[in-house]
């Protein structure tokens, strides 16, 4: 069987690593008859956003890099389709495997189906029901086109059934992100949060140097990059003000996505980081570094999908700075640690105070057990 899998942006890399490992293990130990081609669309291209993850997670170099890079949605999707079509016609796979919800995911699914190639989607069925999110469009399009839909949880199955997906095409395998989390956890535990901060901090003028800390045992962790939070100056200013207030109480570590850094600079907020606040920006962190910080954080404030899931399994109280989530299984009402707080500074502060006083409460939905990739491969081989 010829499998071609596709990655494009940072959150894809944690999802593909266990799948590639499962293929390699299966080929070696059980002589599974699989030929695998890995295609990187090149949507993320900085070392810290891409190559660093391939190295750290042991993903083999992509067989092909389409070099798509940055641009508008139309440009990224269009350029990916043009280049991916050439790759697919050369490889002629039996299955195209796509993961997550980035532009690369939807673009590859469209091209594959148009050529009559079967598509399998890992992380199918997630819905925020928010059509202003580019990722929601990618999720719906990809799922509608997929022949096999690998889901993370029961709620995702229900979404797909409601949309009319054949139950035979839905296969609940759990969350492949947890394969990576469990695989990397022992090495992440060994890392020291203060060292992570000292090695990666970026020091805008007037900001506080973390060197004065002797240890970092209690802190809040922040990751924010969604256009809805960072692209409008009033929105981003409010969020930064809320974070500055939290940082008067305890250190705030904020690994910064290129989009967010660009916007902070554009809106004149970058150099204004208060000299009294303990708000520390860092470069984008490696997978283990971020996992380690999530393990020890008093609370995490995020708009990332993956961080919500990781916080849930680690038991870290999580504030999601959005009005909705496509990952409701992580919410407190379903047993998780996640609460939706939107992006109003006052609400963020109130919810932070509440969350920061809560004990850690790890929650692991069914099949989030570190063996999802094997289930995916097993099912693909049967198809
Ligand atoms: C993309 C995904 C999003 C995911 C996020 C994680 C889509 C629609 N969005 O959003 O779902 O949560 O990745 O990171 O696919 N940039 C760099 N270096 C890079 C990559 C990007 O500087 O290596 C800059 C680009 O120039 C651009 C901005 O960051 O200005 C945004 O990049 P883009 O790939 O368009 O979307 P993300 O916001 O990263």
């Amino acid at each position: 069987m010829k499998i071609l899998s596709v990655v494009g942006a940072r959150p894809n890399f944690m999802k593909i690593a266990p799948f590639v490992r499962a293929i390699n293990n299966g080929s070696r130990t059980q002589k599974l008859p699989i030929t695998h081609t890995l295609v990187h669309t090149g949507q993320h291209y900085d070392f810290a956003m891409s190559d660093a993850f391939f190295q750290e997670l042991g993903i083999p170099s992509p067989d092909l890099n389409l070099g798509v890079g940055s641009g508008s949605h139309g440009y990224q999707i269009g350029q990916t389709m043009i280049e991916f079509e050439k790759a697919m016609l050369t490889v002629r796979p039996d299955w195209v495997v796509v993961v997550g919800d980035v532009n690369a995911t939807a673009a590859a699914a469209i091209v594959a189906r148009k050529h009559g190639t079967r598509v399998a989607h890992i992380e199918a069925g997630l819905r925020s029901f928010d059509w202003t999110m580019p990722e929601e469009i990618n999720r719906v399009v990809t799922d509608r086109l997929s022949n096999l839909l690998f889901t993370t949880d029961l709620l995702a199955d229900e979404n797909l059934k409601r949309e009319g997906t054949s139950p035979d095409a839905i296969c609940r395998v759990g969350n492949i992100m947890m394969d990576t989390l469990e695989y990397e956890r022992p090495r992440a535990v060994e890392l020291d949060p203060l060292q992570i901060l000292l090695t990666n901090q970026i020091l805008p003028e007037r900001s506080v140097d973390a060197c004065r800390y002797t240890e970092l045992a209690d802190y809040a962790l922040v990751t924010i990059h969604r256009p809805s939070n960072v692209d409008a100056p009033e929105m981003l200013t409010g969020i930064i003000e809320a974070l500055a207030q939290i940082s008067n109480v305890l250190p705030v570590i904020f690994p910064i996505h290129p989009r967010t850094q660009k916007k902070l600079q554009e809106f004149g907020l970058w150099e204004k980081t208060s000299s009294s606040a303990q708000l520390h920006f860092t470069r984008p962190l490696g997978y283990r570094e971020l996992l380690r910080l999530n393990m020890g954080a008093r609370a995490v404030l995020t708009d990332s999908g993956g961080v919500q899931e990781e916080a849930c399994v680690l038991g870290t109280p999580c504030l999601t700075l959005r009005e909705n989530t496509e990952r409701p299984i992580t919410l407190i009402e379903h047993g998780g640690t996640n609460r939706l707080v939107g992006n109003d500074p006052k609400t963020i502060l109130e919810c932070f105070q509440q969350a920061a006083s809560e004990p850690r409460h790890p929650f692991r939905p069914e099949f989030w057990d570190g063996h999802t990739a094997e289930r995916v491969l097993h099912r693909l081989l049967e198809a």
Side-chain angles (χ1 to χ4, degrees), residues 289-306:
E289 290 173 325
L290 192 73
L291 181 61
R292 177 66 188 90
L293 292 185
N294 196 342
M295 281 175 188
R298 176 96 73 94
V300 50
L301 298 95
T302 191
D303 59 11
S304 146

Side-chain angles (χ1 to χ4, degrees), residues 226-244:
R226 298 242 163 247
S228 55
N229 280 330
V230 306
D231 282 6
E234 58 286 355
M235 203 67 83
L236 189 54
T237 305
I239 291 173
I240 291 291
E241 275 166 12
L243 296 179

Side-chain angles (χ1 to χ4, degrees), residues 9-11 43-47 49-50 69-71 73 76 101-104 134-135 138 225-227 257-259 262 304-305:
R10 183 171 62 178
Q43 177 174 343
H44 283 179
Y45 46 84
D46 285 351
F47 180 83
M49 298 295 285
S50 180
S70 300
H73 289 285
Q76 277 186 343
D101 57 13
V102 302
N103 285 337
E135 295 81 1
N138 292 338
H225 72 282
R226 298 242 163 247
H257 185 286
R259 171 192 284 278
K262 273 183 206 165
S304 146

Side-chain angles (χ1 to χ4, degrees), residues 36-259:
H36 182 236
T37 306
L38 180 61
V39 174
H40 189 333
T41 68
Q43 177 174 343
H44 283 179
Y45 46 84
D46 285 351
F47 180 83
M49 298 295 285
S50 180
D51 295 16
F53 288 89
F54 276 73
Q55 286 178 12
E56 184 181 20
L57 302 178
I59 310 168
S61 298
D63 299 289
L64 286 165
N65 191 318
L66 308 181
V68 169
S70 300
S72 66
H73 289 285
Y75 171 84
Q76 277 186 343
I77 295 214
Q79 201 58 29
T80 304
M81 287 174 70
I82 292 168
E83 295 304 321
F84 183 70
E85 185 168 57
K86 296 177 198 159
M88 233 200 49
L89 292 177
T90 310
V91 177
R92 299 207 166 272
D94 301 302
W95 281 97
V96 166
V97 174
V98 295
V99 296
D101 57 13
V102 302
N103 285 337
T105 313
I110 294 171
V111 171
R113 257 332 267 270
K114 282 195 176 252
H115 280 281
T117 303
R118 290 179 293 176
V119 177
H121 183 204
I122 301 180
E123 206 182 80
L126 299 184
R127 296 288 182 271
S128 65
F129 304 101
D130 175 358
W131 285 86
T132 65
M133 265 185 105
E135 295 81 1
E136 182 72 356
I137 298 166
N138 292 338
R139 288 179 205 118
V140 173
V141 168
T142 305
D143 285 345
R144 189 68 189 83
L145 294 173
S146 293
N147 303 79
L148 253 180
L149 297 99
F150 292 113
T151 59
T152 46
D153 60 79
L154 186 72
L155 303 174
D157 292 8
E158 286 170 2
N159 289 335
L160 291 172
K161 286 182 194 155
R162 221 179 300 120
E163 290 172 7
T165 307
S166 159
D168 296 342
I170 303 171
C171 182
R172 179 136 44 98
V173 288
N175 191 335
I176 203 158
M177 295 276 284
M178 299 308 132
D179 292 24
T180 298
L181 187 149
E182 294 308 338
Y183 191 77
E184 301 295 341
R185 191 198 282 259
R187 276 167 291 185
V189 168
E190 298 295 318
L191 301 176
D192 171 25
L194 180 57
Q195 273 314 315
I196 297 171
L197 174 57
L198 293 176
T199 316
N200 294 287
Q201 69 178 333
I202 314 174
L203 288 171
E205 214 181 308
R206 294 175 62 222
S207 70
V208 174
D209 192 338
C211 284
R212 67 199 174 92
Y213 300 139
T214 51
E215 65 164 352
L216 193 59
D218 197 15
Y219 54 87
L221 174 65
V222 179
T223 77
I224 292 165
H225 72 282
R226 298 242 163 247
S228 55
N229 280 330
V230 306
D231 282 6
E234 58 286 355
M235 203 67 83
L236 189 54
T237 305
I239 291 173
I240 291 291
E241 275 166 12
L243 296 179
Q245 291 220 32
I246 293 171
S247 78
N248 289 328
V249 185
L250 84 173
V252 174
I253 322 285
F254 189 164
I256 196 146
H257 185 286
R259 171 192 284 278

